[in-house]
Amino acid sequence: MRVVISIGGSVLAPDLDADRVAGHAAAVERLVDEGCEVGAVVGGGGAARDYIGAARSLGANEVQLDQIGIDVTRVNARLLIAALDDRAAPSPAREYEEAGEALRRGDVPVMGGVMPGQTTDAVAAALAEYVDADLLVYATSVDGVFSADPDDDPDAEQYGRLTGAELVDLVAPMSRGAGASAPVDLLAAKLIERSTMRTIVLDGTDPDRIARAVLDGDHTGTDVVPVGCDTDL
């Protein structure tokens, strides 16, 4: 199985905890040991928001702010690469072709951001489509796709199973608002719909959940599946 895992920055590095990063690396290594080809994309999380906020106060424009966020995602990517040791390509891939080449030679490519205006949610979806992945996993701090932000709305409904089109319809109004409740961004959702990519959105704060979801289809999050697909992940 070829799988792309998107690890949110707030999941991998909400603080500088080496053990947390090592745990996520161990989950990736377990998948590789089980015969999976794995690519990873890492977000910026709170550190990126802090740098962006400071730079905005200093007068940086939106493209400059995006570039700062990309830099932070690549620093987080380097943390994961360090934990993966010789399993990973030695530096964050800056292009999809570079990541694909690493995957073909048996390395784990790790990416951060790629270009201004594109989040790591979209990078993961684009990488999964580029390498013809069998599965895309979003490891977030929320266990799946909800009708609203479950941290703010205790009555928010969790969706166990969605099509790509349904995901787009759900994410679109969230993306037009504050965006805090969107499980993935709108571009990522549209790429998932276009590619008919089988996708899991789950709570990845415990990295063992990621490995179980990939290897056994065992998770409590949300499956995004192609129209007419009746088999379990």
Side-chain angles (χ1 to χ4, degrees):
M1 175 185 288
R2 178 172 287 178
V3 57
V4 170
I5 301 171
S6 175
I7 308 174
S10 59
V11 172
L12 181 73
D15 47 37
L16 287 178
D17 183 344
D19 289 341
R20 186 189 304 274
V21 177
H24 282 85
V28 172
E29 290 170 345
R30 178 183 171 191
L31 295 178
V32 173
D33 289 341
E34 292 288 341
C36 296
E37 296 179 316
V38 182
V41 178
V42 179
R49 289 189 290 272
D50 289 344
Y51 274 96
I52 288 169
R56 181 175 281 115
S57 298
L58 294 169
N61 63 42
E62 292 302 314
V63 172
Q64 290 172 321
L65 296 177
D66 282 349
Q67 290 170 328
I68 289 169
I70 289 168
D71 287 342
V72 177
T73 66
R74 289 175 178 168
V75 169
N76 284 343
R78 286 189 180 278
L79 284 176
L80 185 60
I81 289 168
L84 286 167
D85 197 17
D86 59 355
R87 302 288 189 106
S91 60
R94 293 172 177 261
E95 297 179 349
Y96 302 110
E97 291 89 345
E98 182 182 351
E101 289 171 1
L103 201 64
R104 284 190 290 273
R105 66 174 180 262
D107 289 336
V108 175
V110 183
M111 300 186 74
V114 172
M115 60 184 295
Q118 187 182 61
T119 69
T120 51
D121 288 348
V123 171
L127 176 61
E129 185 173 21
Y130 179 77
V131 301
D132 294 320
D134 301 295
L135 180 64
L136 169 62
V137 178
Y138 284 99
T140 74
S141 57
V142 178
D143 199 19
V145 180
F146 287 77
S147 59
D149 188 339
D151 291 333
D152 296 332
D153 183 355
D155 296 321
E157 176 187 359
Q158 186 201 43
Y159 298 99
R161 187 180 180 93
L162 295 167
T163 65
E166 289 169 338
L167 179 65
V168 170
D169 289 343
L170 282 167
V171 167
M174 296 178 187
S175 298
R176 287 194 293 268
S181 60
V184 298
D185 73 17
L186 183 57
L187 177 56
K190 288 182 174 179
L191 290 171
I192 291 167
E193 179 188 21
R194 180 181 75 178
S195 65
T196 65
M197 177 64 58
R198 300 190 71 160
T199 303
I200 299 172
V201 183
L202 52 71
D203 179 350
T205 53
D206 179 352
D208 286 340
R209 295 182 188 135
I210 301 170
R212 290 198 303 269
V214 174
L215 296 173
D216 306 321
D218 177 18
H219 66 91
T220 57
T222 301
D223 288 321
V224 183
V225 298
V227 174
C229 179
D230 295 323
T231 57
D232 292 333
L233 286 165

